[in-house]
Amino acid sequence: MFRKILIANRGEIALRVIRACREMGIASVAVHSTADSDAMHVRMADEAICIGPAPAAQSYLSVPAIISACEITGAEAIHPGYGFLSENANFVQIVEDHGLTFIGPSSEHIRMMGDKITAKETMKALGVPCVPGSDGGVPDLDEARRIGAEIGYPVIVKATAGGGGRGMKLARSAAEIDVAFQTARAEARAAFGNPDVYIEKYLQRPRHIEIQVFGDGRGGAVHLGERDCSLQRRHQKVLEEAPSPAIDAATRARIGGICADAVARIGYAGAGTIEFLYEDGEFYFIEMNTRLQVEHPVTEAVFGVDLVREQIRVAAGEPLSLDQADLQPLGHAIEARINAERLPSFAPCPGRVNTFHAPGGLGVRMDSALYSGYVIPPYYDSLIAKLIVHGRDRDEAIARLHRALGELIVDGVDSTVPLFRALLDEPDIRRGDYSIHWLERWLARSEAQEG
Ligand code: ADP
């Protein structure tokens, strides 16, 4: 097992990894920018090292700075968290070339899944159901028109290098395909330096259901059921739950089995998430994330498993301590992603947190790097806390989330807490009856009412 791990991240996810390290008796090294000198992850780690100025490109994304930090501190392995360098295949290659261990899959698997066309082709060949669409990239407008006519409108044009909900354009009819194709390409070139796009059937009212998988890197793998992440704004997740209100045990076993089998066959190592849209009882693969997800705690709650511990074990060459036969979800968990943002515009709202008080009690988990007096810097993601609740059933989890939100105090900056309070009062949310478009429509309605 490793003696020392460096965490190439910040905020709540850095704390999450530090906590796992401490429970495993592994020393932790925090890295930070000059803007994060007073951050909680710096205080909580066994050692901390400054790796550059505030902009992420010169600190948290600086490969030389992170490799040097490992050399200076004697860290043997790097946990990337999510975001930043977590899905950067070149970084993984450099880590390995320096004789260090990357806590995650191989650079080959990251590269395979990072290109969405290759990912889809690979998954299709492994028997995973995919969204109908173009076989591979769509090079020109004639081909885009042909495919639109063939699969039928509406269609969505997507960047093959896409991520974070960017580079996606909807064409409702043949009249819209030219503009959708050209703007998607332009956006993809600007955002990812790669204009390649592909086309998919646009699903009208699907749920976003993702399967947590874990590979041992030796041809063994398990799945830990699904998370339902259908509540989204601008293709970004807002609230997640496990299990999905729309999935029964037989469906879970079937799709989970297909996913575990797929990752086992490619010899995948570590945690991964296979994302699907789910409509009328059918699953359609959209992408695979080759890292720990923001929303992993809902899976940890219902399966009683420490996913970061498993990541570290597999990276150290130890066997998975998970057995598919023992993996049964218990109760229901919900996560609210709380951002420092001003409603209703969702404009980032960094600044000083005068008072912070975390909720507690039975079935409440708060993953946050906030403390009273902390100044949220303006340079990074606006996520400030993840509030995760676990109950015996969905109703109990909802009541608990309501109760916990009432105890939470974040004074000094605006946050999205009021959004969750309002959502939990909605009959559709209480019934679990919502698709990926529900939240956008509800926000548009609320704004119209207030305006
Ligand atoms: P990204 O990597 O940018 O997050 P994804 O492919 O994971 O992109 O898609 C993000 C979200 O966009 C999905 O959760 C869903 O809400 C929407 N989306 C993607 N593909 C489709 C599709 N074919 N039909 C309808 N909605 C889609």
Side-chain angles (χ1 to χ4, degrees), residues 15 29-30 41 48 116-117 123 142 164 186 188 213 215 224 245 247 308 347 360 370 385 417:
L15 300 194
V29 179
H41 74 287
K116 292 189 173 190
I117 293 174
M123 287 298 177
D142 283 342
V213 290
L224 293 96
I247 301 291
V308 177
L370 288 191
V417 164

Side-chain angles (χ1 to χ4, degrees), residues 418-439:
L419 169 71
F420 294 104
R421 292 170 152 278
L423 286 175
L424 292 181
D425 288 337
E426 283 294 322
D428 287 348
I429 302 298
R430 291 196 161 262
R431 275 197 309 273
D433 182 13
Y434 55 91
S435 82
I436 58 169
H437 306 302
W438 188 94
L439 182 56

Side-chain angles (χ1 to χ4, degrees), residues 116 131 156 158 162-166 168 200-203 206 208 232 235 275 277 286-287 436:
K116 292 189 173 190
V131 191
I156 185 164
K158 297 171 74 172
R166 287 178 303 165
M168 277 187 254
E200 277 179 357
K201 176 106 193 136
Y202 182 74
L203 300 172
H208 174 115
Q232 300 182 356
H235 304 303
E275 298 193 335
L277 296 176
I286 48 174
E287 70 164 340
I436 58 169

Side-chain angles (χ1 to χ4, degrees), residues 32-88:
H32 66 93
S33 70
T34 51
D36 273 342
S37 302
D38 295 326
M40 191 58 135
H41 74 287
V42 173
R43 299 180 178 196
M44 206 191 257
D46 295 311
E47 279 173 75
I49 184 162
C50 183
I51 51 165
Q58 294 166 55
S59 50
Y60 297 103
L61 290 169
S62 167
V63 176
I66 287 166
I67 300 288
S68 306
C70 280
E71 281 169 0
I72 292 165
T73 58
E76 307 149 84
I78 299 177
H79 195 299
Y82 52 70
F84 292 132
L85 294 166
S86 62
E87 289 175 292
N88 185 318

Side-chain angles (χ1 to χ4, degrees), residues 104-140:
S106 66
S107 55
E108 173 209 359
H109 287 144
I110 294 176
R111 204 164 275 131
M112 179 187 282
M113 298 305 167
D115 181 279
K116 292 189 173 190
I117 293 174
T118 314
K120 239 178 127 170
E121 279 167 356
T122 307
M123 287 298 177
K124 208 168 164 184
L126 289 165
V128 176
C130 293
V131 191
S134 56
D135 283 323
V138 179
D140 54 46

Side-chain angles (χ1 to χ4, degrees), residues 134-401:
S134 56
D135 283 323
V138 179
D140 54 46
L141 214 75
D142 283 342
E143 183 69 1
R145 292 182 189 133
R146 195 186 65 71
I147 287 166
E150 185 184 301
I151 59 178
Y153 288 92
V155 300
I156 185 164
V157 186
K158 297 171 74 172
T160 180
R166 287 178 303 165
M168 277 187 254
K169 289 287 162 224
L170 172 65
R172 283 185 200 81
S173 68
E176 291 180 5
I177 189 68
D178 292 19
V179 172
F181 178 77
Q182 272 150 351
T183 46
R185 274 181 71 87
E187 234 177 62
R189 184 187 281 115
F192 312 109
N194 175 357
D196 293 348
V197 295
Y198 62 108
I199 295 181
E200 277 179 357
K201 176 106 193 136
Y202 182 74
L203 300 172
Q204 310 266 9
R205 43 179 178 77
R207 301 183 78 111
H208 174 115
I209 308 257
E210 55 184 38
I211 305 292
Q212 176 72 54
V213 290
F214 226 106
D216 65 5
R218 305 170 198 170
V222 296
H223 73 86
L224 293 96
E226 80 285 2
R227 292 182 286 263
D228 193 319
C229 314
S230 302
L231 268 186
Q232 300 182 356
R233 176 177 172 271
R234 301 199 172 160
H235 304 303
Q236 300 261 29
K237 298 159 191 168
V238 170
L239 176 146
E240 304 95 348
E241 55 182 316
S244 166
I247 301 291
D248 61 21
T251 309
R252 175 174 311 119
R254 178 173 65 81
I255 191 69
I258 290 172
C259 291
D261 182 55
V263 294
R265 277 162 61 194
I266 61 171
Y268 188 84
T273 295
I274 304 188
E275 298 193 335
F276 294 94
L277 296 176
Y278 179 72
E279 188 172 81
D280 299 332
E282 300 288 337
F283 286 93
Y284 303 97
F285 169 77
I286 48 174
E287 70 164 340
M288 176 166 182
N289 291 319
T290 51
R291 55 168 165 84
L292 192 69
Q293 303 268 105
V294 176
E295 60 274 21
H296 76 277
V298 293
T299 300
E300 294 188 322
V302 294
F303 283 93
V305 165
D306 180 339
L307 289 172
V308 177
R309 183 189 182 92
E310 293 301 324
Q311 286 188 296
I312 295 170
R313 284 177 59 95
V314 168
E318 295 189 7
L320 273 181
S321 71
L322 307 172
D323 194 335
Q324 192 69 62
D326 304 332
L327 290 169
Q328 297 299 332
L330 184 71
H332 198 95
I334 306 178
E335 173 181 279
R337 290 194 194 192
I338 299 168
N339 291 345
E341 288 171 350
R342 183 168 299 138
L343 298 171
S345 66
F346 292 89
C349 189
R352 188 184 146 90
V353 178
N354 299 321
T355 307
F356 171 68
H357 174 78
L362 180 64
V364 175
R365 168 176 171 182
M366 186 73 170
D367 279 21
S368 172
L370 288 191
Y371 58 84
S372 295
Y374 175 63
V375 181
I376 301 166
Y379 308 102
Y380 314 107
D381 196 89
S382 58
L383 181 77
I384 49 169
K386 302 188 314 201
L387 175 53
I388 305 106
V389 294
H390 186 212
R392 282 174 301 182
D393 55 32
R394 193 168 181 274
D395 287 343
E396 192 173 279
I398 288 176
R400 193 155 281 160
L401 183 54

